[in-house]
Coordinates of all heavy atoms in Angstrom, one line a residue:
M1 N 97.4 97.4 104.3 CA 98.2 96.5 103.4 C 99.5 97.2 103.0 O 99.5 98.3 102.6 CB 97.3 96.1 102.2 CG 98.1 95.2 101.2 SD 97.1 94.8 99.8 CE 95.7 94.0 100.5
E2 N 100.6 96.4 103.0 CA 101.9 97.0 102.6 C 101.9 97.1 101.1 O 101.3 96.3 100.4 CB 103.0 96.1 103.0 CG 103.3 96.1 104.5 CD 104.6 95.3 104.9 OE1 105.4 95.2 104.0 OE2 104.5 94.8 106.0
L3 N 102.7 98.1 100.6 CA 102.8 98.3 99.2 C 103.3 97.1 98.4 O 102.8 96.8 97.3 CB 103.6 99.5 98.9 CG 103.8 100.0 97.4 CD1 102.4 100.2 96.8 CD2 104.7 101.2 97.3
K4 N 104.3 96.4 98.9 CA 104.8 95.2 98.2 C 103.7 94.1 98.1 O 103.7 93.4 97.2 CB 106.1 94.7 98.8 CG 106.1 94.1 100.1 CD 107.6 93.8 100.4 CE 107.7 93.1 101.8 NZ 109.1 92.8 102.1
E5 N 102.8 94.1 99.2 CA 101.7 93.1 99.1 C 100.7 93.5 98.0 O 100.2 92.7 97.2 CB 101.0 93.0 100.4 CG 101.8 92.3 101.5 CD 101.0 92.4 102.8 OE1 100.9 93.5 103.3 OE2 100.6 91.3 103.3
A6 N 100.4 94.8 97.9 CA 99.5 95.3 96.9 C 100.1 95.2 95.5 O 99.3 94.8 94.6 CB 99.2 96.8 97.2
F7 N 101.4 95.4 95.4 CA 102.0 95.2 94.1 C 102.0 93.8 93.7 O 101.7 93.5 92.6 CB 103.6 95.6 94.2 CG 104.2 95.5 92.8 CD1 104.1 96.5 91.8 CD2 104.9 94.3 92.5 CE1 104.6 96.3 90.6 CE2 105.5 94.2 91.3 CZ 105.3 95.1 90.3
G8 N 102.1 92.9 94.6 CA 102.0 91.5 94.3 C 100.7 91.0 93.8 O 100.5 90.3 92.8
I9 N 99.6 91.6 94.4 CA 98.3 91.4 94.0 C 98.0 91.9 92.7 O 97.5 91.2 91.7 CB 97.3 91.9 95.0 CG1 97.3 91.1 96.3 CG2 95.9 92.0 94.4 CD1 96.6 91.8 97.5
A10 N 98.5 93.2 92.4 CA 98.4 93.8 91.0 C 99.1 93.0 90.0 O 98.5 92.9 88.9 CB 98.9 95.2 91.2
L11 N 100.2 92.6 90.3 CA 101.0 91.8 89.3 C 100.2 90.4 89.0 O 100.1 90.1 87.9 CB 102.4 91.4 89.8 CG 103.3 90.5 89.0 CD1 103.6 91.1 87.6 CD2 104.6 90.1 89.7
R12 N 99.8 89.8 90.0 CA 99.0 88.6 89.8 C 97.7 88.8 89.0 O 97.5 88.1 88.0 CB 98.6 87.8 91.2 CG 97.8 86.5 90.9 CD 97.4 86.0 92.2 NE 98.5 85.6 93.1 CZ 98.8 86.2 94.3 NH1 97.9 87.1 94.8 NH2 99.8 85.9 95.0
Q13 N 97.0 89.9 89.3 CA 95.8 90.2 88.5 C 96.1 90.5 87.0 O 95.4 90.0 86.1 CB 95.1 91.4 89.1 CG 94.5 91.1 90.5 CD 93.9 92.4 91.2 OE1 94.3 93.5 90.8 NE2 93.1 92.3 92.2
A14 N 97.2 91.2 86.8 CA 97.6 91.5 85.4 C 98.0 90.2 84.7 O 97.7 90.0 83.5 CB 98.7 92.5 85.5
R15 N 98.7 89.4 85.3 CA 99.2 88.2 84.7 C 98.1 87.3 84.4 O 98.0 86.8 83.2 CB 100.2 87.4 85.7 CG 100.7 86.1 85.2 CD 101.6 85.4 86.1 NE 101.0 85.1 87.4 CZ 100.2 84.1 87.7 NH1 99.9 83.3 86.7 NH2 99.8 83.9 88.8
L16 N 97.2 87.1 85.3 CA 96.0 86.3 85.0 C 95.0 86.8 83.9 O 94.6 86.2 83.1 CB 95.2 86.0 86.4 CG 95.9 85.2 87.4 CD1 95.1 85.2 88.7 CD2 96.2 83.8 86.8
A17 N 94.9 88.2 83.9 CA 94.2 88.8 82.9 C 94.7 88.6 81.6 O 94.0 88.6 80.4 CB 94.0 90.4 83.2
K18 N 96.1 88.5 81.5 CA 96.8 88.2 80.2 C 96.9 86.7 79.9 O 97.3 86.3 78.9 CB 98.2 88.9 80.2 CG 98.2 90.3 80.3 CD 97.7 91.0 79.1 CE 97.8 92.5 79.3 NZ 97.6 93.2 78.0
G19 N 96.4 85.9 80.8 CA 96.4 84.5 80.5 C 97.7 83.8 80.6 O 98.0 82.9 80.0
L20 N 98.7 84.5 81.4 CA 100.0 84.0 81.5 C 100.4 83.1 82.8 O 99.8 83.5 83.8 CB 101.1 85.1 81.4 CG 100.9 85.9 80.1 CD1 101.8 87.2 80.2 CD2 101.4 85.2 79.0
A21 N 101.2 82.2 82.6 CA 101.7 81.5 83.8 C 102.8 82.2 84.4 O 103.4 83.1 83.8 CB 102.2 80.1 83.4
Q22 N 103.2 82.0 85.7 CA 104.2 82.7 86.3 C 105.6 82.5 85.6 O 106.3 83.5 85.5 CB 104.4 82.1 87.8 CG 103.3 82.6 88.7 CD 103.5 82.0 90.1 OE1 104.1 81.0 90.4 NE2 102.9 82.8 91.1
E23 N 105.7 81.3 85.0 CA 107.0 81.1 84.3 C 107.2 81.9 83.1 O 108.3 82.1 82.7 CB 107.0 79.6 83.8 CG 107.1 78.6 85.0 CD 105.7 78.3 85.6 OE1 104.6 78.8 85.2 OE2 105.7 77.5 86.5
A24 N 106.1 82.5 82.6 CA 106.2 83.4 81.4 C 106.8 84.7 81.7 O 107.3 85.5 80.9 CB 104.8 83.6 80.8
L25 N 106.7 85.1 83.0 CA 107.1 86.4 83.4 C 108.6 86.6 83.7 O 109.2 87.7 83.6 CB 106.4 87.0 84.7 CG 104.8 87.2 84.5 CD1 104.3 87.8 85.9 CD2 104.6 88.0 83.4
A26 N 109.2 85.5 84.2 CA 110.6 85.5 84.6 C 111.2 84.1 84.4 O 110.4 83.1 84.6 CB 110.8 86.1 85.9
P27 N 112.5 84.0 84.3 CA 113.1 82.7 84.3 C 112.9 81.8 85.6 O 112.8 80.6 85.6 CB 114.6 83.0 84.2 CG 114.8 84.4 83.6 CD 113.5 85.0 84.2
S28 N 112.6 82.5 86.7 CA 112.4 81.8 88.0 C 110.9 82.0 88.4 O 110.5 83.0 88.8 CB 113.3 82.4 89.0 OG 112.9 81.8 90.3
Q29 N 110.2 80.8 88.3 CA 108.8 80.9 88.8 C 108.7 81.2 90.2 O 107.9 81.8 90.8 CB 108.2 79.5 88.5 CG 106.8 79.4 89.0 CD 106.6 78.9 90.4 OE1 107.5 78.2 90.9 NE2 105.6 79.3 91.1
A30 N 109.8 80.7 91.0 CA 109.8 81.0 92.5 C 110.0 82.5 92.7 O 109.3 83.0 93.7 CB 111.0 80.3 93.0
Y31 N 110.7 83.2 92.0 CA 110.8 84.7 92.2 C 109.4 85.3 92.0 O 109.0 86.2 92.7 CB 111.9 85.2 91.2 CG 111.8 86.8 91.1 CD1 112.5 87.5 92.2 CD2 111.2 87.5 90.2 CE1 112.5 88.8 92.2 CE2 111.2 88.9 90.2 CZ 111.8 89.6 91.2 OH 111.8 90.9 91.3
V32 N 108.8 85.0 90.9 CA 107.5 85.6 90.6 C 106.5 85.2 91.7 O 105.8 86.1 92.2 CB 106.9 85.1 89.2 CG1 105.5 85.7 89.0 CG2 107.9 85.5 88.1
S33 N 106.6 84.1 92.2 CA 105.7 83.7 93.3 C 106.0 84.6 94.6 O 105.0 85.0 95.2 CB 105.9 82.2 93.6 OG 105.1 81.8 94.8
E34 N 107.2 84.8 94.8 CA 107.6 85.5 96.0 C 107.1 87.0 95.8 O 106.6 87.6 96.8 CB 109.1 85.5 96.2 CG 109.5 84.2 96.8 CD 111.0 84.2 97.2 OE1 111.9 84.4 96.2 OE2 111.3 84.1 98.4
V35 N 107.2 87.6 94.6 CA 106.7 88.9 94.4 C 105.3 88.9 94.5 O 104.7 89.8 95.2 CB 107.2 89.4 92.9 CG1 106.5 90.8 92.7 CG2 108.7 89.6 92.9
E36 N 104.6 88.0 93.8 CA 103.1 88.0 94.0 C 102.5 87.8 95.3 O 101.5 88.3 95.6 CB 102.6 86.9 93.0 CG 102.7 87.2 91.5 CD 101.9 86.2 90.6 OE1 101.5 85.1 91.1 OE2 101.9 86.5 89.5
N37 N 103.4 87.1 96.2 CA 102.9 86.9 97.6 C 103.4 88.0 98.6 O 103.2 87.9 99.8 CB 103.3 85.5 98.0 CG 102.5 84.5 97.4 OD1 101.2 84.4 97.5 ND2 103.2 83.5 96.7
G38 N 104.0 89.0 98.0 CA 104.5 90.2 98.8 C 105.7 90.0 99.6 O 106.0 90.7 100.6
R39 N 106.4 88.9 99.3 CA 107.7 88.7 100.0 C 108.9 89.4 99.4 O 109.9 89.6 100.1 CB 107.9 87.1 100.2 CG 107.0 86.5 101.1 CD 107.3 85.0 101.4 NE 107.2 84.1 100.2 CZ 106.1 83.5 99.7 NH1 105.0 83.6 100.4 NH2 106.4 82.8 98.7
K40 N 108.8 89.7 98.2 CA 109.9 90.4 97.5 C 109.3 91.6 96.7 O 108.2 91.5 96.3 CB 110.6 89.5 96.5 CG 111.5 88.5 97.2 CD 112.5 87.9 96.3 CE 113.6 87.0 97.1 NZ 114.6 86.6 96.2
S41 N 110.2 92.6 96.6 CA 109.9 93.7 95.7 C 110.8 93.7 94.5 O 112.0 93.6 94.7 CB 110.0 95.0 96.5 OG 109.1 95.1 97.5
P42 N 110.3 94.0 93.4 CA 111.2 94.0 92.1 C 111.9 95.3 92.1 O 111.5 96.3 92.6 CB 110.2 93.9 91.0 CG 109.0 94.4 91.5 CD 108.9 94.1 92.9
S43 N 113.1 95.2 91.5 CA 113.9 96.5 91.2 C 113.2 97.1 90.1 O 112.3 96.7 89.4 CB 115.4 96.1 90.8 OG 115.3 95.3 89.5
I44 N 113.6 98.4 89.9 CA 113.1 99.2 88.7 C 113.2 98.4 87.4 O 112.3 98.4 86.6 CB 113.7 100.6 88.7 CG1 113.2 101.4 89.9 CG2 113.2 101.3 87.4 CD1 114.0 102.7 90.1
E45 N 114.4 97.8 87.3 CA 114.8 97.1 86.0 C 113.8 95.9 85.8 O 113.2 95.7 84.8 CB 116.2 96.7 86.0 CG 117.1 97.8 85.8 CD 117.4 98.5 87.1 OE1 117.1 98.1 88.1 OE2 118.2 99.6 87.0
K46 N 113.6 95.2 86.9 CA 112.7 94.0 86.9 C 111.3 94.4 86.7 O 110.5 93.8 86.0 CB 112.9 93.2 88.2 CG 112.1 91.9 88.2 CD 112.4 91.1 86.9 CE 113.5 90.1 87.2 NZ 113.7 89.1 85.9
L47 N 110.8 95.6 87.3 CA 109.5 96.1 87.1 C 109.3 96.4 85.6 O 108.2 96.0 85.0 CB 109.3 97.3 87.9 CG 108.0 98.1 87.6 CD1 106.7 97.3 87.9 CD2 108.0 99.4 88.4
D48 N 110.2 97.0 84.9 CA 110.2 97.2 83.6 C 110.0 95.9 82.7 O 109.3 95.8 81.8 CB 111.4 98.1 83.1 CG 111.2 98.6 81.7 OD1 110.3 99.3 81.4 OD2 112.1 98.2 80.8
E49 N 110.8 95.0 83.1 CA 110.8 93.6 82.4 C 109.5 93.0 82.6 O 109.0 92.4 81.6 CB 111.9 92.7 82.9 CG 113.3 93.1 82.6 CD 114.4 92.3 83.2 OE1 114.1 91.1 83.6 OE2 115.5 92.7 83.4
L50 N 109.0 92.9 83.8 CA 107.7 92.3 84.1 C 106.5 93.0 83.3 O 105.7 92.4 82.7 CB 107.3 92.4 85.6 CG 108.2 91.6 86.5 CD1 108.0 91.9 88.0 CD2 108.0 90.1 86.3
A51 N 106.5 94.3 83.2 CA 105.5 95.1 82.6 C 105.7 94.8 81.1 O 104.6 94.6 80.3 CB 105.7 96.5 82.8
S52 N 106.9 94.7 80.5 CA 107.1 94.5 79.1 C 106.6 93.1 78.7 O 105.8 93.0 77.7 CB 108.6 94.5 78.8 OG 108.8 94.2 77.5
V53 N 106.7 92.1 79.5 CA 106.3 90.7 79.1 C 104.7 90.8 79.2 O 104.1 90.2 78.4 CB 106.7 89.7 80.2 CG1 106.0 88.4 80.0 CG2 108.3 89.6 80.0
L54 N 104.1 91.6 80.2 CA 102.7 91.7 80.2 C 102.1 92.6 79.1 O 100.8 92.6 79.0 CB 102.3 92.3 81.5 CG 102.5 91.3 82.8 CD1 102.4 92.2 84.1 CD2 101.5 90.2 82.8
G55 N 103.0 93.3 78.4 CA 102.5 94.2 77.4 C 101.8 95.4 77.9 O 101.0 96.0 77.3
I56 N 102.2 95.9 79.0 CA 101.7 97.2 79.7 C 102.9 98.1 80.1 O 104.0 97.6 80.2 CB 100.8 96.8 80.9 CG1 101.5 96.1 81.9 CG2 99.5 96.1 80.4 CD1 100.6 95.9 83.2
H57 N 102.5 99.4 80.3 CA 103.5 100.2 80.7 C 103.8 100.0 82.2 O 102.9 99.7 83.0 CB 103.0 101.7 80.6 CG 104.1 102.8 80.7 ND1 104.6 103.0 81.9 CD2 104.7 103.4 79.8 CE1 105.5 104.1 81.7 NE2 105.6 104.3 80.4
P58 N 105.1 100.1 82.7 CA 105.3 99.9 84.1 C 104.6 100.8 85.1 O 104.2 100.4 86.1 CB 106.9 100.3 84.3 CG 107.4 100.1 82.8 CD 106.2 100.4 81.9
V59 N 104.3 102.0 84.6 CA 103.4 102.9 85.4 C 102.1 102.2 85.6 O 101.5 102.4 86.7 CB 103.4 104.3 84.9 CG1 102.4 105.1 85.6 CG2 104.8 104.9 84.9
T60 N 101.5 101.7 84.7 CA 100.2 101.0 84.8 C 100.2 99.9 85.9 O 99.3 99.9 86.8 CB 99.8 100.4 83.4 OG1 99.7 101.4 82.4 CG2 98.4 99.8 83.5
L61 N 101.2 99.1 85.8 CA 101.4 98.1 86.9 C 101.6 98.7 88.2 O 100.9 98.2 89.2 CB 102.5 97.2 86.5 CG 102.7 95.9 87.3 CD1 101.4 95.0 87.4 CD2 103.8 95.0 86.7
F62 N 102.4 99.7 88.4 CA 102.6 100.3 89.6 C 101.4 101.0 90.2 O 100.9 100.9 91.3 CB 103.8 101.3 89.5 CG 104.3 101.6 90.9 CD1 104.7 100.7 91.8 CD2 104.3 103.0 91.3 CE1 105.3 101.1 93.1 CE2 104.9 103.4 92.5 CZ 105.3 102.5 93.4
A63 N 100.7 101.8 89.3 CA 99.5 102.5 89.7 C 98.3 101.5 90.1 O 97.7 101.8 91.1 CB 99.0 103.3 88.5
R64 N 98.3 100.3 89.5 CA 97.3 99.3 89.8 C 97.5 98.9 91.3 O 96.6 98.6 92.0 CB 97.4 98.1 88.9 CG 96.4 97.0 89.2 CD 95.0 97.5 88.8 NE 94.1 96.4 89.3 CZ 93.2 96.6 90.3 NH1 93.2 97.7 91.0 NH2 92.4 95.6 90.7
S65 N 98.7 98.9 91.7 CA 99.0 98.6 93.1 C 98.4 99.5 94.1 O 97.9 99.1 95.2 CB 100.5 98.7 93.3 OG 101.3 97.9 92.6
Y66 N 98.1 100.8 93.7 CA 97.5 101.8 94.6 C 95.9 101.6 94.5 O 95.3 102.3 95.3 CB 97.9 103.2 94.2 CG 99.3 103.4 94.7 CD1 100.4 103.2 93.9 CD2 99.6 103.9 96.0 CE1 101.7 103.5 94.4 CE2 100.8 104.2 96.5 CZ 101.8 103.9 95.7 OH 103.2 104.2 96.2
L67 N 95.5 100.8 93.6 CA 94.0 100.7 93.4 C 93.5 99.4 94.0 O 92.3 99.1 94.1 CB 93.6 100.8 92.0 CG 93.9 102.1 91.2 CD1 93.7 102.0 89.7 CD2 93.2 103.2 91.9
V68 N 94.4 98.5 94.4 CA 94.1 97.1 95.0 C 93.0 97.2 96.0 O 92.1 96.4 96.1 CB 95.3 96.4 95.4 CG1 95.0 95.2 96.2 CG2 96.2 96.0 94.1
E69 N 93.2 98.2 96.9 CA 92.3 98.2 98.1 C 91.0 99.1 97.8 O 90.4 99.6 98.7 CB 93.0 98.8 99.3 CG 94.0 97.7 99.9 CD 94.5 98.2 101.2 OE1 95.0 99.3 101.3 OE2 94.5 97.3 102.1
G70 N 90.7 99.3 96.5 CA 89.5 100.0 96.2 C 89.6 101.5 95.9 O 88.7 102.2 96.0
G71 N 90.9 101.9 95.7 CA 91.1 103.4 95.3 C 90.3 103.8 94.1 O 89.9 102.8 93.3
D72 N 90.1 105.0 93.9 CA 89.4 105.5 92.7 C 90.4 105.8 91.6 O 91.2 106.7 91.7 CB 88.6 106.7 93.1 CG 87.7 107.2 91.9 OD1 86.7 106.5 91.6 OD2 88.1 108.2 91.3
L73 N 90.1 105.2 90.4 CA 91.0 105.4 89.3 C 91.1 106.9 88.9 O 92.2 107.4 88.6 CB 90.5 104.5 88.1 CG 91.3 104.7 86.8 CD1 92.8 104.3 87.0 CD2 90.7 103.7 85.7
M74 N 89.9 107.5 88.7 CA 89.9 108.9 88.3 C 90.6 109.8 89.2 O 91.4 110.7 88.8 CB 88.4 109.3 88.0 CG 87.8 108.6 86.9 SD 88.8 108.6 85.3 CE 88.8 110.3 84.9
D75 N 90.5 109.6 90.6 CA 91.2 110.4 91.6 C 92.7 110.2 91.4 O 93.4 111.2 91.4 CB 90.8 110.0 93.0 CG 89.4 110.4 93.4 OD1 88.8 111.4 92.6 OD2 88.9 109.9 94.3
L76 N 93.1 109.0 91.2 CA 94.6 108.7 91.0 C 95.1 109.3 89.8 O 96.1 110.0 89.8 CB 94.9 107.2 90.9 CG 96.2 106.8 90.7 CD1 97.2 107.3 91.9 CD2 96.4 105.3 90.6
L77 N 94.4 109.2 88.6 CA 94.8 109.8 87.4 C 94.9 111.4 87.5 O 95.8 112.0 86.9 CB 93.9 109.4 86.2 CG 94.0 107.9 85.9 CD1 93.0 107.6 84.8 CD2 95.4 107.5 85.4
E78 N 93.8 112.0 88.1 CA 93.8 113.4 88.3 C 95.0 113.9 89.1 O 95.7 114.8 88.8 CB 92.6 113.9 88.9 CG 91.3 113.7 88.0 CD 90.0 114.1 88.7 OE1 90.0 114.7 89.7 OE2 89.0 113.7 88.1
R79 N 95.3 113.2 90.2 CA 96.4 113.5 91.0 C 97.8 113.4 90.3 O 98.6 114.4 90.4 CB 96.5 112.6 92.3 CG 97.6 113.0 93.2 CD 97.6 112.1 94.4 NE 98.8 112.5 95.2 CZ 99.0 111.9 96.4 NH1 98.2 111.1 96.9 NH2 100.2 112.2 97.0
V80 N 98.0 112.3 89.6 CA 99.2 112.1 88.9 C 99.3 113.3 87.8 O 100.4 113.8 87.6 CB 99.3 110.8 88.3 CG1 100.5 110.6 87.3 CG2 99.4 109.7 89.4
T81 N 98.3 113.5 87.1 CA 98.3 114.5 86.1 C 98.7 115.8 86.6 O 99.6 116.6 86.1 CB 96.9 114.6 85.4 OG1 96.6 113.3 84.7 CG2 97.0 115.6 84.3
Q82 N 98.1 116.2 87.7 CA 98.4 117.5 88.4 C 99.8 117.5 88.9 O 100.5 118.6 88.6 CB 97.4 117.8 89.5 CG 97.7 119.0 90.3 CD 96.7 119.2 91.5 OE1 95.9 118.5 91.8 NE2 97.1 120.3 92.2
E83 N 100.3 116.5 89.5 CA 101.7 116.5 90.0 C 102.7 116.5 88.8 O 103.7 117.2 88.9 CB 101.8 115.3 90.8 CG 101.1 115.3 92.1 CD 101.1 114.1 93.0 OE1 101.7 113.1 92.6 OE2 100.6 114.2 94.2
L84 N 102.4 115.9 87.7 CA 103.3 115.9 86.5 C 103.3 117.3 86.0 O 104.4 117.8 85.6 CB 102.9 114.9 85.5 CG 103.2 113.4 85.8 CD1 102.5 112.6 84.8 CD2 104.6 113.2 85.9
H85 N 102.2 118.0 85.9 CA 102.2 119.4 85.4 C 103.0 120.3 86.3 O 103.7 121.2 85.9 CB 100.8 120.0 85.3 CG 100.1 119.4 84.1 ND1 100.4 119.7 82.8 CD2 99.0 118.5 83.9 CE1 99.6 119.0 81.9 NE2 98.8 118.3 82.6
E86 N 102.9 120.1 87.6 CA 103.6 120.9 88.6 C 105.1 120.7 88.5 O 105.9 121.6 88.9 CB 103.1 120.6 90.0 CG 101.7 121.1 90.3 CD 101.1 120.5 91.6 OE1 101.8 119.9 92.4 OE2 100.0 121.0 92.0
L87 N 105.5 119.6 88.1 CA 106.9 119.3 88.0 C 107.6 119.8 86.7 O 108.8 119.6 86.5 CB 107.1 117.7 88.1 CG 106.9 117.2 89.5 CD1 106.9 115.7 89.5 CD2 107.8 117.7 90.5
Q88 N 106.8 120.2 85.8 CA 107.4 120.8 84.5 C 108.1 122.1 84.7 O 107.9 122.9 85.5 CB 106.2 120.9 83.5 CG 105.7 119.7 83.0 CD 104.6 119.8 81.9 OE1 104.1 120.9 81.7 NE2 104.3 118.7 81.3

């Protein structure tokens, strides 16, 4: 699965978990639909806006994309923690 498809699934899951309609995320429902269906990728600024409306950190939404196909949350968190420490 391509990353933009996984991101779209993650966005849809987060939106539905928050009980929001596509129209609540952006002025254009068509844009949200295209992102959720993996046809478009949001810019960094748009990712931040989408996450803000959802009430979550952008990293949470992006990380969820990597867990869509059944990745392990603890493995992902450990890897990110280690890599952040190495970059200090």
Side-chain angles (χ1 to χ4, degrees):
M1 176 182 303
E2 290 185 26
L3 181 56
K4 66 181 178 179
E5 291 174 292
F7 181 84
I9 292 168
L11 177 62
R12 181 180 302 115
Q13 290 172 342
R15 178 179 61 76
L16 293 174
K18 298 289 184 168
L20 297 172
Q22 288 180 332
E23 295 84 1
L25 296 187
S28 170
Q29 177 273 331
Y31 171 77
V32 175
S33 178
E34 288 186 297
V35 173
E36 287 187 353
N37 288 303
R39 290 190 296 271
K40 285 197 174 188
S41 298
S43 65
I44 293 172
E45 291 81 8
K46 186 51 95 173
L47 170 62
D48 189 60
E49 289 175 27
L50 292 168
S52 178
V53 172
L54 290 166
I56 60 178
H57 195 283
V59 172
T60 302
L61 189 53
F62 195 60
R64 181 71 185 106
S65 303
Y66 286 92
L67 299 174
V68 165
E69 291 191 309
D72 183 73
L73 176 60
M74 293 310 296
D75 288 345
L76 177 61
L77 292 175
E78 288 175 19
R79 179 177 176 177
V80 170
T81 299
Q82 178 182 353
E83 290 173 355
L84 286 171
H85 283 294
E86 290 172 359
L87 294 173
Q88 290 183 346

